[in-house]
Amino acid sequence: MDIVFIGFGEAAYHLCAGLRTTGDLQIGAFDANVSPALQQRADQQHVTLFDSLENACRDARFVVCLTSASSALGIARKVLPLLVAGQTYVDMNSAAPTVKQAIDQLPRPAGVGFCDSAVMGTVPGNNHRVPMLLAGSGAAAFAEAFTPRGMQLTVLEAEAGAASAIKMLKSVVMKGLPQLLLEAFQAGEKFGVLDTLVASLGDSLNGKTVEQLANTFTARTLIHAKRRSAEMDDAVTTLEAAGVDATMTRATQGQLDKLAATDWASLLGPDGSDMDFRTAIAHLTAHV
């Protein structure tokens, strides 16, 4: 087998559907819960379903786990002892980097690689071309085998856990930012100023890149934390007056209060407001 999936759910099915278009490929799968619908999907993509982990892993060049974050470590404990030199275990679950690091630290036979894979988009619609970040000892081998088949794989020169760290930290922003917008937009609707609020935000952001925004906000947030915390007090009052849950804004105020306990203006120096975000973050991590 060229590749075997542990777990044959939606993501694995769509990856197989894409890979099937790239030429001859031996694909297998093992799933603990084989239903008639799952069997039909496997048949559609000419995927061999195995009746045990042992049989599934025996001759697979790459064994890919696509089950869940909660089961990832437990499955790795079962699979890794079954592998032999030349095989690579790939964990594609959306899990914390600590989980991927724990998998990498499990005992495994010499010559068995491990690849931490972070799927950075939706698989349905993209199929095998969904962007992925790879890290760990088995990353290069996986990329070498499947990049020629159209998979969008970026190998990080880093240990296992790095790929998943990027995915999780991106989620902090991409999942957190909409919550802030929802909080502000609800109040904007209540006050009858939603469209003007959106336009004003657009003027402030003004097409800036993430790096430009980081350079604008990072050092200034540290230096002016006390004043901004006071402003958040009024922001909370505004939200609550509109009957909006101010959880995110209260959390922002709490973080600003913590930052205000340090004299950042002195630490960052007279030109601190113009400090690039990387230097400012280095100062922050050194003092927190």
Side-chain angles (χ1 to χ4, degrees):
M1 286 286 161
D2 295 300
I3 186 169
V4 164
F5 290 91
I6 307 303
F8 194 66
E10 183 179 48
Y13 169 78
H14 285 284
L15 287 173
C16 291
L19 288 171
R20 270 284 164 246
T21 67
T22 68
D24 186 46
L25 198 65
Q26 289 186 315
I27 305 176
F30 170 78
D31 197 291
N33 301 293
V34 177
S35 65
L38 188 147
Q39 181 69 61
Q40 183 180 29
R41 283 192 140 196
D43 292 342
Q44 286 174 353
Q45 301 304 330
H46 305 287
V47 172
T48 301
L49 287 181
F50 291 94
D51 58 2
S52 68
L53 279 174
E54 291 80 4
N55 289 335
C57 297
R58 182 169 293 121
D59 298 314
R61 175 67 183 88
F62 296 95
V63 177
V64 178
C65 183
L66 254 175
T67 52
S68 67
S70 60
S71 65
L73 185 57
I75 290 175
R77 286 195 178 100
K78 295 178 181 178
V79 171
L80 287 174
L82 303 175
L83 305 183
V84 298
Q87 291 181 288
T88 298
Y89 186 69
V90 183
D91 191 291
M92 286 188 185
N93 292 300
S94 181
T98 51
V99 173
K100 304 298 182 86
Q101 290 169 338
I103 292 173
D104 193 34
Q105 291 166 7
L106 290 173
R108 62 180 187 262
V112 172
F114 173 60
C115 176
D116 161 26
S117 174
V119 181
M120 303 302 289
T122 56
V123 182
N126 288 301
N127 293 351
H128 69 303
R129 295 183 183 276
V130 63
M132 297 186 192
L133 301 178
L134 310 178
S137 62
F142 188 69
E144 183 178 341
F146 289 98
T147 297
R149 292 182 177 272
M151 292 190 76
Q152 305 299 304
L153 307 173
T154 300
V155 177
L156 307 176
E157 296 298 327
E159 296 182 356
S164 291
I166 293 172
K167 180 180 176 71
M168 293 298 114
L169 296 177
K170 182 179 178 181
S171 291
V172 171
V173 177
M174 300 307 292
K175 306 300 191 296
L177 179 59
Q179 295 305 312
L180 287 168
L181 292 176
L182 287 174
E183 221 167 76
F185 286 1
Q186 287 180 81
E189 176 69 15
K190 293 288 185 67
F191 281 106
V193 296
L194 179 58
D195 289 341
T196 307
L197 169 62
V198 171
S200 180
L201 286 169
D203 290 340
S204 296
L205 299 176
N206 195 28
K208 291 184 175 71
T209 66
V210 172
E211 183 161 347
Q212 288 171 329
L213 288 172
N215 282 329
T216 298
F217 293 143
T218 306
R220 290 179 176 86
T221 295
L222 300 179
I223 293 169
H224 303 297
K226 185 175 181 179
R227 174 173 58 79
R228 293 183 179 188
S229 175
E231 291 173 0
M232 285 297 97
D233 195 44
D234 288 329
V236 168
T237 300
T238 302
L239 289 166
E240 292 181 342
V244 175
D245 184 343
T247 297
M248 295 294 290
T249 305
R250 285 191 180 280
T252 299
Q253 184 179 30
Q255 290 301 106
L256 286 168
D257 284 342
K258 292 177 183 178
L259 291 173
T262 299
D263 184 3
W264 293 106
S266 296
L267 280 172
L268 302 186
D271 298 321
S273 292
D274 297 321
M275 182 177 289
D276 74 275
F277 80 94
R278 293 178 181 84
T279 305
I281 289 296
H283 280 285
L284 176 60
T285 54
H287 286 86
V288 172

